[in-house]
């Protein structure tokens, strides 16, 4: 959120405030599968129109 290092330092929490039992935590989410969901007609027909996106398309 803060590209400027000095401004970022003003808002940065020390790591000790992010460890158990702290109220704020950081998590790493690893995605195994990803879908695109088309909800345009869901309210009308309740047909699941999601399609899976191959993992190779997610890597950068």
């Amino acid at each position: 959120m803060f590209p400027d290092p000095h401004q970022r330092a003003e808002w940065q929490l020390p790591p000790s405030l992010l460890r158990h039992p702290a109220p704020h935590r950081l998590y790493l989410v690893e995605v195994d599968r990803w879908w695109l969901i088309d909800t345009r007609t869901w309210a009308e027909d309740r047909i699941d129109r999601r399609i899976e996106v191959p993992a190779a398309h997610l890597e950068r």
Side-chain angles (χ1 to χ4, degrees):
M1 292 179 53
F2 302 104
D4 175 47
H6 299 292
Q7 186 181 19
R8 184 172 49 245
E10 292 177 23
W11 289 90
Q12 186 173 353
L13 292 174
S16 61
L17 291 181
L18 299 172
R19 293 189 190 108
H20 183 72
H24 301 288
R25 305 284 179 83
L26 295 177
Y27 295 91
L28 173 65
V29 176
E30 294 184 13
V31 177
D32 293 327
R33 299 175 77 181
W34 192 275
W35 291 272
L36 288 176
I37 301 175
D38 184 356
T39 58
R40 291 175 295 161
T41 59
W42 173 256
E44 299 164 12
D45 58 20
R46 301 288 196 253
I47 296 174
D48 184 353
R49 290 184 174 83
R50 68 181 141 183
I51 58 170
E52 189 167 354
V53 178
H57 288 105
L58 301 175
E59 298 174 6
R60 292 179 189 221

